[in-house]
Amino acid sequence: MTNLPPPAEELRLLDAELLQLDLRRAVLLRRREWLIHTLRAAAAPPSAQGTGTTPVSGRPDTGVSGAVRRPEATAPGVQNVLLVLGGVLLAVAAIAFTLVSWGHMGIAGRALVLGALTVAALGVPVVLLRRGLRSTAEAVAALGTILTVLDSYALHEVAFAGTDGLGYTAAGSAVLAAVWAVYGVVAGAAVPPAPAAERGPAAGGARAGLRHPVPLAVATAHLPLLLWALAVGAGPHTVTAVLLLTAAGGAAVALRAAPAPVRVVAVVGALGMGVVGVLSAGWLCWSASDAGAAARAAALLVVAAVVALVAGRSVRDPGTGMGAALAAGLCLVAGAGGVLRASLPGEWTVPGCVACALALLAADRTRLSRPLRRGLVRASAAVQCCAVLWSVPLVAGTVLGPVTQGARPWSGAPGDVRDAVFTDVPWPPYASTGPLVLAAVAAVVLVAGRNTARSAASGVVALVLGWAAVITVPVVLQLPYPAGLVEQGIVVVAVLGLAEWSGRAGNRPSPLPLTALLLALVTSVDLAFLALASESATIGVLVCLTVLFGAACRGRVAAPFAAPAALGHATALACAIGASAGWRPHDTALLVLVVPAVAALVASRTSGSRATVPVEVAGAAAGLLALALAVTDPPMLAVVLSLCGVFTAGTALRPERRAAGYAAAALFLLATWVRLTAWEVTTPEAYTLPVTAPALIVGLLRRRRDTAVSSWTAYGAGLALTLVPSLLVAWDDRHWLRPLLLGVAALAVTLAGARYRLQAPLVVGGGVLALVTLHELAPYLVQVVGALPRWAPPALAGLVLLALGATYEQRLRDARRLREALGRLR
């Protein structure tokens, strides 16, 4: 039996247990509050973790959302806003006093007020800096600098009212710049350096002086010389020289100044003045009417180049030094080019600039630092690129100009090549030295890229530039028309030979052979268009190009490009022969078909090589051209379609081109239809039945060979090809014979599908039979509907909908069963 204590003892034990539970619960609740506070502090942003206020309870003060509160503005930010606002208000008050209340006081009062304010505003910051109040000192010092400007204005109004405003501004800006610079230096020197423990490791021995006076003085120092030159009415050359001199002074300050704000202001001012000065000197040099004026402006550009080189040599950053040298090189070339423009005929300006640019390349052999040498070389490259862009109109006109001969073929051989090329294209000005410029740049690129990592790219660029120089020579020299044709042909031969040689000689893949082949194709097309001016030239050039590219097909490298090019020129030759013989276009189509025949034969002999697909594409293009030529004559179009079908069927005999058999069948079918159209046959069954019967036979044979083939694959296309067009015609047929025969045929197809359990005949035949029956019963249905009252059709429709709704589930089950039954058919 269980030994139970007395009730009093048991009550004492229960009270003790409850007390222990209460103490444990209090400990767990305190632990829970501490964990919640820790998790919230970890989830808060870092900036919020250090700004939350901590009440006496030891937990952060939280709002309604539980997030840690933090101030919306920092103490330094509030201090800066207040100081800036106070300085602005004081400056506005001083300006208002100077401009508005100035006249209400005597001379002594005015001088006393402004002098006292200026001295106080400039002296108080020194005391504030000694006490460590740097932000307040900056605000008061900014007010002092504004007061010095007002003092200058007041001095002009009182003592120098009759002087020129621009000249006084120049002198005043110089004095203010000096005063601000001295004040900034003196104010910084008057402040003792902070202890090392307060400065930190990065402060060094720098004094905590004012920030803005010296940068403001440097910025203002850029104005006096320019304002003085404008005040005395100096000429453009003097003003430009003043701009460059000011830029040189700013560069010197930027190179010597230690504080970063001073360097930034000096660099910005020097760049601004230098850019304006260089642009002004360049405009003066290139717009000068004589060599003397151009030389004076060129001297200014040389000064700018020297300043840029000295600055680039003194900086430590390689990128900045290279940019300075680049600017210096461009200034030197611009100055020399301006002098040449004023001294020599206009055709030699660009070659002269290219010669100066090439002279800059000699800097790569000097003892200059690497950044300076790279900058001068890049300046030379930039000038050469500009020279190449200058020659683009000449090259583009030479290449695209002969295309205009296609609008007036065989209009007569011109006197020279320029008359044939630039008939409808304007001749570019000063373009006679274009080939020389292109050849010089090509030689430089080829020599510079030799034995380097960019030798392949430089070879391609040199090849393109050299090709452009060669093809423009006949146009520039105005060679006779036959000589121009011969020269273009020689270019084609040379570029083809270079492509084959470079492709065989290279140990690794290179873009040079591909570039050469593309240039050969472009030149051959250009030559073909150029020859269109004369009938004999056209046929002779096309024969030569066909033979040339045909011979190039023997090469391993040129074959994929030469073979289709030979076929393309042969196609053009066939058209030219037909036009020369006076044949009509549809008769010429038979001659053009020789090209697809040759293409099919060549493709069969070169099956598997890289030239196979290009040859087949060229043959297909020639076949399409033959079809386009014969489209105006249906009987000839049928013959052309049949011959194309024969060529395609021959291609389909190859194992890897079995799919071409479909195209051959389509061509034969189109040939039959075109022939029936030419015979004015209007019955659609004459077009469809010759296709349906073979299609059904082929489908039957395929199903016998492979029982897994569905009836849609075997019979669907053949049945639809006849039944659907006949149904469309029977829908508008007013006679009874076609609907009757179509219905009987559809019934037979449906019964055959039901007998052999084939899905395609059952669905196609049943659908056509239903539509034919509907078409035949349509007049009677119309009569019945017309005899009914107007309310009958809506009522009938409502009943149908009610019946469908009532038996919706059963209808779905029946439709599902029908679908499953059709799905079981093949």
Side-chain angles (χ1 to χ4, degrees):
M1 296 179 64
T2 305
N3 186 14
L4 297 176
E9 182 66 17
E10 185 177 2
L11 180 60
R12 187 185 64 79
L13 294 175
L14 291 176
D15 290 338
E17 290 291 335
L18 290 174
L19 180 60
Q20 293 294 331
L21 291 175
D22 290 337
L23 293 176
R24 182 62 178 169
R25 185 174 185 275
V27 171
L28 294 177
L29 287 176
R30 286 195 297 271
R31 180 67 177 175
R32 180 178 181 275
E33 291 179 358
W34 182 84
L35 291 174
I36 291 175
H37 169 64
T38 302
L39 292 176
R40 286 177 177 173
S47 60
Q49 295 179 9
T51 57
T53 59
T54 305
V56 178
S57 60
R59 290 179 297 173
D61 186 14
T62 59
V64 178
S65 61
V68 179
R69 290 180 180 175
R70 57 184 183 273
E72 297 181 356
T74 61
V78 174
Q79 176 189 5
N80 293 334
V81 170
L82 295 177
L83 291 176
V84 170
L85 182 59
V88 170
L89 293 178
L90 289 176
V92 171
I95 294 173
F97 168 76
T98 304
L99 297 179
V100 178
S101 301
W102 182 258
H104 300 288
M105 302 180 63
I107 296 177
R110 304 176 214 173
L112 181 62
V113 170
L114 275 180
L117 288 177
T118 304
V119 171
L122 294 178
V124 170
V126 178
V127 180
L128 294 176
L129 286 174
R130 290 179 177 178
R131 295 180 177 273
L133 302 176
R134 184 171 182 176
S135 299
T136 307
E138 288 284 352
V140 178
L143 176 62
T145 55
I146 295 175
L147 288 176
T148 56
V149 177
L150 295 178
D151 289 339
S152 175
Y153 170 75
L155 184 63
H156 176 269
E157 293 296 323
V158 173
F160 301 99
T163 60
D164 178 50
L166 196 58
Y168 181 80
T169 304
S173 60
V175 173
L176 288 177
V179 169
W180 290 338
V182 172
Y183 174 68
V185 174
V186 171
V191 180
E198 298 179 5
R199 292 198 306 264
R207 300 175 183 269
L210 298 174
R211 291 190 183 95
H212 78 278
V214 177
L216 185 61
V218 173
T220 308
H222 289 81
L223 300 177
L225 286 179
L226 178 62
L227 295 177
W228 169 80
L230 296 177
V232 299
H237 288 79
T238 304
V239 173
T240 303
V242 166
L243 289 172
L244 295 177
L245 181 60
T246 305
V253 173
L255 294 174
R256 296 296 181 181
V262 177
R263 290 200 306 270
V264 171
V265 172
V267 167
V268 172
L271 287 178
M273 292 291 184
V275 169
V276 176
V278 168
L279 292 178
S280 176
W283 179 80
L284 291 174
C285 184
W286 283 80
S287 61
S289 57
D290 57 349
R296 290 195 299 272
L300 296 176
L301 289 173
V302 172
V303 171
V306 172
V307 172
L309 285 176
V310 172
R313 185 179 180 180
S314 302
V315 296
R316 296 181 179 179
D317 184 24
T320 305
M322 185 175 62
L326 173 63
L330 294 178
C331 289
L332 292 175
V333 175
V339 174
L340 292 175
R341 187 202 66 83
S343 305
L344 300 176
E347 290 82 0
W348 294 99
T349 301
V350 176
C353 293
V354 172
C356 297
L358 297 182
L360 289 179
L361 296 177
D364 201 25
R365 303 292 182 181
T366 61
R367 295 183 179 180
L368 294 174
S369 62
R370 179 177 175 82
L372 295 183
R373 286 186 280 114
R374 292 182 61 185
L376 292 175
V377 170
R378 293 196 176 188
S380 175
V383 174
Q384 295 178 58
C385 290
C386 293
V388 171
L389 292 178
W390 167 79
S391 63
V392 165
L394 174 63
V395 179
T398 303
V399 174
L400 301 178
V403 178
T404 59
Q405 294 291 339
R408 47 180 184 280
W410 299 350
S411 57
D416 54 53
V417 181
R418 185 183 296 185
D419 293 339
V421 173
F422 287 90
T423 303
D424 299 327
V425 179
W427 175 253
Y430 307 119
S432 58
T433 55
L436 179 62
V437 171
L438 292 171
V441 176
V444 171
V445 171
L446 187 61
V447 173
R450 185 180 53 183
N451 298 327
T452 62
R454 300 179 180 178
S455 58
S458 62
V460 170
V461 175
L463 175 60
V464 174
L465 294 176
W467 168 81
V470 172
I471 65 170
T472 54
V473 167
V475 180
V476 170
L477 298 181
Q478 293 183 317
L479 296 180
Y481 179 69
L485 297 179
V486 173
E487 192 267 351
Q488 295 276 58
I490 294 174
V491 171
V492 176
V493 175
V495 178
L496 278 177
L498 176 62
E500 188 65 28
W501 173 80
S502 59
R504 291 178 180 272
N507 296 326
R508 55 183 179 178
S510 172
L512 186 61
L514 177 60
T515 305
L517 289 172
L518 293 177
L519 293 178
L521 293 177
V522 171
T523 309
S524 65
V525 174
D526 186 63
L527 177 58
F529 276 108
L530 185 62
L532 282 177
S534 173
E535 178 179 351
S536 58
T538 300
I539 297 177
V541 165
L542 290 176
V543 169
C544 294
L545 290 176
T546 303
V547 173
L548 175 61
F549 281 98
C553 293
R554 300 176 63 87
R556 176 178 57 87
V557 178
F561 293 88
L567 293 175
H569 290 303
T571 303
L573 177 61
C575 295
I577 291 175
S580 178
W583 294 355
R584 291 174 296 180
H586 57 268
D587 295 328
T588 306
L590 293 176
L591 186 59
V592 174
L593 283 179
V594 176
V595 177
V598 174
L601 181 61
V602 172
S604 65
R605 298 290 299 273
T606 62
S607 180
S609 66
R610 294 189 304 162
T612 302
V613 175
V615 166
E616 291 175 345
V617 172
L624 291 176
L625 177 60
L627 293 176
L629 292 174
V631 74
T632 57
D633 188 68
M636 184 61 69
L637 179 61
V639 174
V640 172
L641 285 169
S642 301
L643 292 175
C644 291
V646 172
F647 304 149
T648 309
T651 302
L653 295 177
R654 292 155 49 195
E656 71 276 10
R657 294 290 186 266
R658 297 298 188 193
Y662 296 103
L667 290 172
F668 286 130
L669 178 60
L670 289 175
T672 304
W673 288 355
V674 170
R675 175 56 63 183
L676 292 174
T677 303
W679 288 340
E680 298 181 356
V681 177
T682 58
T683 304
E685 290 76 12
Y687 297 87
T688 58
L689 287 177
V691 182
T692 299
L696 293 179
I697 293 174
V698 172
L700 179 62
L701 295 177
R702 185 174 181 183
R703 277 185 59 85
R704 286 183 178 181
R705 189 180 307 141
D706 186 5
T707 57
V709 176
S710 66
S711 61
W712 287 105
T713 303
Y715 308 119
L719 293 175
L721 192 60
T722 293
L723 295 179
V724 174
S726 299
L727 177 63
L728 295 177
V729 176
W731 200 262
D732 292 333
D733 196 350
R734 300 182 181 274
H735 301 284
W736 58 273
L737 182 58
R738 177 177 278 108
L740 176 61
L741 295 177
L742 181 60
V744 170
L747 178 61
V749 170
T750 304
L751 294 177
R755 169 67 178 79
Y756 296 102
R757 303 185 65 183
L758 298 175
Q759 190 179 113
L762 185 62
V763 173
V764 175
V768 172
L769 181 61
L771 292 175
V772 170
T773 304
L774 180 62
H775 173 263
E776 295 301 317
L777 295 178
Y780 303 102
L781 294 177
V782 172
Q783 292 178 3
V784 171
V785 172
L788 292 176
R790 293 187 176 182
W791 54 266
L796 181 61
L799 292 175
V800 171
L801 292 177
L802 288 176
L804 291 176
T807 61
Y808 181 73
E809 186 176 0
Q810 182 63 33
R811 300 285 80 77
L812 288 179
R813 189 180 297 110
D814 295 341
R816 193 178 300 111
R817 289 177 179 175
L818 178 60
R819 186 185 64 185
E820 293 175 354
L822 288 175
R824 287 192 294 270
L825 301 178
R826 290 186 178 180

